């Protein structure tokens, strides 16, 4: 090899080494931040995915009944029995409607102290089977761990930030894995079990990462629309651009209407004497209602008011159930009961198949359908999010979907374990063991442009990247200057 050729190869090799080290450094710090959250997301997500199988085992005596040949009691009779066992001042907020012969009837009440409690009854005999706290039941705790770490808004923002940094971890991991001249594609996608020590763990980590990359990316992209900060902004933007649920979703009546007898003062009187009416007050949106889950597309839509010019007699729950059945929805939905003179019966049908989703508002006095929002009314973004949500939750194609989600989730937890083992085996004593910073920063224009784009699309992540960049320059820049002097 000539001297001139050697001079050309050396700078290229140095640039490649610097780029690899920079990517490794980003991957290390992204993983260091993300992995603890990823383990929590993996195990809570797997548990929540199997909620339909787990809850009947945990609460068998409340949720499961023996099928009987006798007719089921009416919804009104069951609601009356549930009201009779609740403390004085409790307000019925939600009814779960199901025709499954082995499932109990469920009604949710808001107690005088503000706590929400479910009451379960045998639909054939009316026997009260027991109660459960809505907020403290096992699966609700798992769900709140998954979404907010049980820390409220700060935890929700932390989970959102972890999801965004997972994108960086995936991108840098793929770049580090990409086969080079000395690695065959087969060795890059299949574990080399003959290796030992840190080389084995590194290979296993890389191979698992490539197989899980698509699933991890799907989880992040389908979960972010439900996040507390970016998700809400994204939903508002999609709705305003008619890419979410269009404002003109089907509905024949105005959202504003008169009260029975035209007495507007009745609203404020009811609200003053029944603080729990905040579950169904005018001006609320779907996300404010006491529902376990609602279709993403309708979360920002205002809840209409009931209208009646003369009659002020509220329809019974049984009448509303019959009305909903006539609209083609027979089972597996929740009804939010009206809690004020202007409230409506809100029906939320959230099945596994997104194309069957329905949100129906029914006037509490005359039974008029104020709005009936279906999948066909959604915009392109909301349709995509609906399918993503169903897949993310393991609902779309049954048990196989649940198993696939569990394998991806637990695989990501395995990535965290292999990453920790690799770090432990290479870390120097009394040191974090982070990859050394490249002496000369490589250009890497595409990567920098990608990070800037991610920071713009996800402002919370952009803010954290800017903070890390400033801290890196302050700490390591000062060290470099000291060494130079």
């Amino acid at each position: 090899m000539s001297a001139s050729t050697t001079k050309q190869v050396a700078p290229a090799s140095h640039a490649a080494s610097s780029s690899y080290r920079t990517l490794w450094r980003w991957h290390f710090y992204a993983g260091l931040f993300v992995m603890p959250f990823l383990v929590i997301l993996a195990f809570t997500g797997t548990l929540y995915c199997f909620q339909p199988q787990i809850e009947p085992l945990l609460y068998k005596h409340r949720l499961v009944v023996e099928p009987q040949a006798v007719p089921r009691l009416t919804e009104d009779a069951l609601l009356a029995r549930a009201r009779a066992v609740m403390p004085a001042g409790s307000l019925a907020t939600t009814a779960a409607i199901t025709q499954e012969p082995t499932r109990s009837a469920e009604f949710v009440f808001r107690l005088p102290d503000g706590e929400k409690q479910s009451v379960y009854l045998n639909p054939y005999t009316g026997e009260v089977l027991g109660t459960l706290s809505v907020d403290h039941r096992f699966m609700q705790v798992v769900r709140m761990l998954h979404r907010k770490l049980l820390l409220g808004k700060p935890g929700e923002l932390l989970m959102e930030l972890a999801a965004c940094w997972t994108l960086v971890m995936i991108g840098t991991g793929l770049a580090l894995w990409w086969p080079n001249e000395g690695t065959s594609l087969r060795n890059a996608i299949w574990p080399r079990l003959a290796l030992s020590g840190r080389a084995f763990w590194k290979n296993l980590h890389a191979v698992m990462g490539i197989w899980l990359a698509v699933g991890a990316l799907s989880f992040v992209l389908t979960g972010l629309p439900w996040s507390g900060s970016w998700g809400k902004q994204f939903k508002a933007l999609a709705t305003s651009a008619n890419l979410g649920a269009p404002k003109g979703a089907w509905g024949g009546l105005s959202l504003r209407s008169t009260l029975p007898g035209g007495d507007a003062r009745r609203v404020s009187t009811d609200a003053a004497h029944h603080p729990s009416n905040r579950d169904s007050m005018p001006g609320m949106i779907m996300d404010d209602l006491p529902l376990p889950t609602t279709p993403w597309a309708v979360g920002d839509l205002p809840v209409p008011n009931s209208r009646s010019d003369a009659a002020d007699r509220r329809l019974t729950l049984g009448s509303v159930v019959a009305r909903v059945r006539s609209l083609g929805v027979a089972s597996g939905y929740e009804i939010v009961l009206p809690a004020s003179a202007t409230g409506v019966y809100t029906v939320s049908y959230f099945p596994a198949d997104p194309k069957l989703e329905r949100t129906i508002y029914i006037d509490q006095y005359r039974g008029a359908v104020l709005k009936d929002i279906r999948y066909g009314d959604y915009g392109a973004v909301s349709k995509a999010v609906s399918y993503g949500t169903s897949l993310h939750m393991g609902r779309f194609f049954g048990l196989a979907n649940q198993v696939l989600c569990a394998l991806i989730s637990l695989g990501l937890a395995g990535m965290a374990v292999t990453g920790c083992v690799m770090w432990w085996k290479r870390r120097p004593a009394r040191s974090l063991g982070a990859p050394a910073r490249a002496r000369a920063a490589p250009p890497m224009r595409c990567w920098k442009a990608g990070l800037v784009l991610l920071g713009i699309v996800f402002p919370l992540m952009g803010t954290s990247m800017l903070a890390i960049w400033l801290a890196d320059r302050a700490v390591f820049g000062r060290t470099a200057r000291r060494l130079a002097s």
Side-chain angles (χ1 to χ4, degrees):
M1 182 180 290
S2 66
S4 60
T5 305
T6 304
K7 290 180 180 178
Q8 291 174 358
V9 172
S13 176
H14 176 72
S17 175
S18 297
S19 297
Y20 184 90
R21 190 169 294 277
T22 300
L23 288 170
W24 184 17
R25 189 175 176 82
W26 274 95
H27 187 74
F28 175 84
Y29 282 117
L32 192 67
F33 169 64
V34 165
M35 285 305 181
F37 298 104
L38 208 56
V39 171
I40 295 172
L41 286 169
F43 285 104
T44 56
T46 299
L47 285 172
Y48 194 70
C49 194
F50 286 94
Q51 179 183 9
Q53 291 90 347
I54 293 175
E55 283 208 317
L57 294 176
L58 288 177
Y59 309 116
K60 182 177 180 179
H61 298 297
R62 296 179 180 89
L63 272 63
V64 181
V65 298
E66 287 289 335
Q68 298 184 24
V70 300
R72 298 165 65 98
L73 296 178
T74 66
E75 287 79 10
D76 297 309
L78 292 169
L79 178 57
R81 297 199 181 196
R83 282 190 171 121
V85 300
M86 298 305 292
S90 300
L91 179 71
T93 62
T94 312
I97 307 300
T98 179
Q99 296 301 318
E100 290 186 36
T102 59
R103 294 306 296 265
S104 61
E106 178 185 2
F107 299 94
V108 179
F109 284 79
R110 185 179 291 278
L111 304 184
D113 61 2
E115 182 184 353
K116 290 180 289 185
Q117 195 168 83
S118 290
V119 183
Y120 300 91
L121 303 96
N122 188 313
Y124 303 102
T125 65
E127 176 191 1
V128 176
L129 304 176
T131 62
L132 282 175
S133 169
V134 171
D135 294 327
H136 298 105
R137 63 193 296 170
F138 177 72
M139 276 302 168
Q140 181 63 10
V141 173
V142 168
R143 183 183 179 215
M144 289 298 102
L145 260 173
H146 190 76
R147 293 190 62 186
K148 305 180 180 182
L149 296 172
L150 299 179
L151 298 176
K153 191 65 176 179
E156 196 171 22
L157 293 176
L158 267 175
M159 283 304 201
E160 179 179 328
L161 195 57
C164 293
W165 275 98
T166 300
L167 297 175
V168 176
M169 189 178 66
I170 294 171
T172 53
L174 287 173
L176 291 169
W177 161 88
W178 198 262
N180 54 34
E181 295 178 359
T183 307
S184 67
L185 182 61
R186 183 185 182 282
N187 286 336
I189 64 173
W190 199 255
R192 287 177 282 176
L193 302 179
L195 296 174
S196 60
R198 184 174 179 273
F200 166 79
W201 291 103
K202 182 180 179 181
N203 176 253
L204 182 62
H205 184 84
V207 171
M208 287 178 63
I210 192 59
W211 283 103
L212 293 169
V214 174
L217 185 62
S218 300
F219 271 165
V220 172
L221 296 181
T222 55
L224 276 172
W226 293 90
S227 60
S229 176
W230 186 86
K232 288 184 178 179
Q233 297 299 321
F234 180 61
K235 184 188 295 185
L237 178 63
T239 301
S240 63
N242 285 339
L243 295 173
K247 296 179 180 178
W250 185 88
L253 297 177
S254 168
L255 296 184
R256 302 186 67 179
S257 56
T258 57
L259 292 174
D263 186 4
R265 291 174 299 177
R266 180 172 173 179
V267 180
S268 59
T269 302
D270 283 356
H273 287 86
H274 301 283
S276 54
N277 286 1
R278 62 182 180 273
D279 290 332
S280 185
M281 288 295 290
M284 299 191 76
I285 61 174
M286 277 293 294
D287 281 343
D288 297 326
L289 296 182
L291 286 165
T293 311
T294 57
W296 185 85
V298 301
D300 266 355
L301 293 186
V303 178
N305 301 331
S306 288
R307 67 179 291 158
S308 178
D309 297 323
D312 58 357
R313 185 175 180 180
R314 178 180 292 179
L315 291 176
T316 64
L317 177 60
S319 300
V320 175
V321 171
R323 184 78 173 96
V324 174
R325 188 183 302 115
S326 71
L327 296 173
V329 183
S331 179
Y333 62 91
E334 285 86 30
I335 299 180
V336 178
L337 310 179
S340 69
T342 56
V344 296
Y345 284 100
T346 301
V347 177
S348 180
Y349 183 47
F350 192 52
D353 186 351
K355 286 187 176 180
L356 301 179
E357 290 179 3
R358 298 277 289 276
T359 304
I360 306 170
Y361 304 101
I362 298 177
D363 185 299
Q364 66 168 305
Y365 302 109
R366 294 184 173 180
V369 178
L370 301 177
K371 272 189 178 293
D372 183 354
I373 304 173
R374 313 182 188 203
Y375 176 85
D377 297 313
Y378 299 170
V381 169
S382 287
K383 287 180 178 179
V385 171
S386 295
Y387 271 98
T389 299
S390 190
L391 289 166
H392 185 103
M393 296 177 68
R395 296 156 27 107
F396 186 57
F397 49 92
L399 181 61
N401 197 167
Q402 292 175 301
V403 172
L404 178 61
C405 287
L407 288 175
I408 295 172
S409 295
L410 297 178
L412 292 173
M415 288 287 293
V417 172
T418 56
C420 285
V421 172
M422 287 166 55
W423 165 76
W424 185 262
K425 285 182 173 294
R426 68 170 289 276
R427 72 179 184 91
R430 298 180 181 179
S431 172
L432 181 62
R437 191 174 188 232
R439 294 193 177 187
M444 302 182 68
R445 294 184 180 87
C446 290
W447 280 101
K448 290 176 181 177
L451 290 175
V452 169
L453 181 60
L454 278 176
I456 294 172
V457 174
F458 303 107
L460 188 63
M461 180 186 178
T463 303
S464 67
M465 281 196 298
L466 182 60
I468 291 171
W469 178 75
L470 291 173
D472 188 65
R473 283 182 62 87
V475 175
F476 292 100
R478 185 168 58 247
T479 302
R481 288 191 297 271
R482 187 185 305 119
L483 291 173
S485 62

